[in-house]
């Protein structure tokens, strides 16, 4: 393990990521990269360059993508994997993780999250503040479970899907890849076609 951490993205999501990294107390120094050259520091941590500079830091730093957009996070994460970067998992000390839970690298688990037993979470995911992911879920790579979303048991969420703030997914439901589930929406049946799903019960938006 390297004793320095570099977070790509110094705005809202990146700041929460940095906050978790500070609380984990694993790295002697933490810095950011951000493509906005006007940002010199964030959270009291230095911005030491733009994302193009990442290659010069790979030997010295562990690297974490602190970008909320699923597609952008996936693109940068996959590039980092290709060049052999060390990518950690970040778990807030006040998250509760059950037995036999697997969490992929590049995933952040935020404060107040509960992940129950026998669930697998892919790489590059965001399990956001106060959400819960119950037993035997399978969350694929680059998914974002927004703050306060709740997934019952044996839910599957496909690659790159985004469950909005306060959304709910009933037990035994499969949501395919590339979906957006709106804030506060409740998914009670399988979603097998990518798209935006809204409301209670969640229905496909038709535009
Ligand atoms: C689903 C979402 C992405 C749609 O955004 P959008 O494509 O810009 O859609 P619009 O805001 O133009 O809304 C389109 C229609 O859907 C409705 N709508 C939007 N979100 C809705 C929701 N969550 N539940 C029910 N209806 C919703 C709007 O009222 C609008 O209806 P109208 O055409 O009758 O006026 C967005 O509304 C949403 O819920 N985002 C989640 C945000 C979130 O969780 N953030 C957490 C970040 S950590």
């Amino acid at each position: 393990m390297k004793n320095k951490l570099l977070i790509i993205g110094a705005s809202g999501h990146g700041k929460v990521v940095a906050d978790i990294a500070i609380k984990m107390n694993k790295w002697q120094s933490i810095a950011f990269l951000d493509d906005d050259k006007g940002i010199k520091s964030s959270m009291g941590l230095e911005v030491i360059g733009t994302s193009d500079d990442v290659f010069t830091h790979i030997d010295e730093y562990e690297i974490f993508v602190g970008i909320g957009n699923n597609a952008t996070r996936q693109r940068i994460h996959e590039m980092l994997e290709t060049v052999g970067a060390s990518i950690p998992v970040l778990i807030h000390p006040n998250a509760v993780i059950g037995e036999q839970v697997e969490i992929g690298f590049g995933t952040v688990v935020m404060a107040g999250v509960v992940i129950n037993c026998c669930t697998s979470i892919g790489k590059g995911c965001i399990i956001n503040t106060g959400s819960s992911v119950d037993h035997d879920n399978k969350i694929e790579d680059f998914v974002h479970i927004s703050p306060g979303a709740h997934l019952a048991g044996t839910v599957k969420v496909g690659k790159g899907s985004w469950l909005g703030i306060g959304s709910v997914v009933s037990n035994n439901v499969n949501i395919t890849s590339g979906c957006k589930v709106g804030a506060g929406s409740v998914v009670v049946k399988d979603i097998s076609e990518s798209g935006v799903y809204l409301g209670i019960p969640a229905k496909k938006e038709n535009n």
Side-chain angles (χ1 to χ4, degrees):
M1 187 196 137
K2 301 183 171 87
N3 62 11
K4 291 179 165 188
L5 177 69
L6 192 54
I7 298 166
I8 301 179
S11 55
H13 177 64
K15 288 197 290 186
V16 181
V17 165
D19 190 56
I20 293 166
I22 291 166
K23 288 190 168 61
M24 287 174 72
N25 211 17
K26 273 178 75 176
W27 294 276
Q28 276 174 12
S29 86
I30 301 173
F32 286 108
L33 296 179
D34 198 283
D35 289 344
D36 181 346
K37 290 185 176 158
I39 306 177
K40 302 290 179 211
S41 73
S42 183
M43 295 275 297
L45 305 172
E46 194 182 356
V47 178
I48 60 171
T50 66
S51 58
D52 288 342
D53 300 327
V54 71
F55 307 102
T56 59
H57 298 296
I58 274 172
D59 292 340
E60 204 183 347
Y61 287 84
E62 296 198 49
I63 318 262
F64 195 91
V65 188
I67 293 175
N69 179 278
N70 285 351
T72 308
R73 191 171 65 262
Q74 176 175 352
R75 180 175 53 75
I76 298 174
H77 178 110
E78 287 177 343
M79 180 275 293
L80 290 173
E81 274 188 74
T82 318
V83 296
S86 320
I87 305 174
V89 177
L90 298 186
I91 300 179
H92 192 285
N94 295 118
V96 177
I97 313 288
E99 298 297 320
Q100 296 181 33
V101 168
E102 291 169 9
I103 301 178
F105 56 98
T107 286
V108 58
V109 178
M110 296 191 171
V113 164
V114 179
I115 301 176
N116 259 335
C117 58
C118 311
T119 276
S120 86
I121 311 268
K123 61 186 177 184
C125 292
I126 302 170
I127 312 299
N128 219 316
T129 310
S131 60
S132 66
V133 181
D134 222 291
H135 64 89
D136 299 295
N137 276 222
K138 178 159 179 45
I139 311 298
E140 292 186 347
D141 300 341
F142 308 111
V143 163
H144 180 179
I145 310 290
S146 292
H150 295 298
L151 282 59
T154 327
V155 165
K156 185 174 173 214
V157 182
K159 189 171 180 179
S161 282
W162 176 32
L163 305 194
I165 188 163
S167 59
V168 169
V169 186
S170 290
N171 51 307
N172 307 315
V173 165
N174 293 338
I175 298 175
T176 194
S177 57
C179 287
K180 272 186 197 172
V181 172
S185 299
V186 178
V187 183
V188 295
K189 287 186 194 157
D190 287 359
I191 294 178
S192 51
E193 194 185 339
S194 299
V196 178
Y197 289 80
L198 302 173
I200 305 173
K203 296 221 163 35
K204 191 165 195 282
E205 194 191 28
N206 293 313
N207 325 330

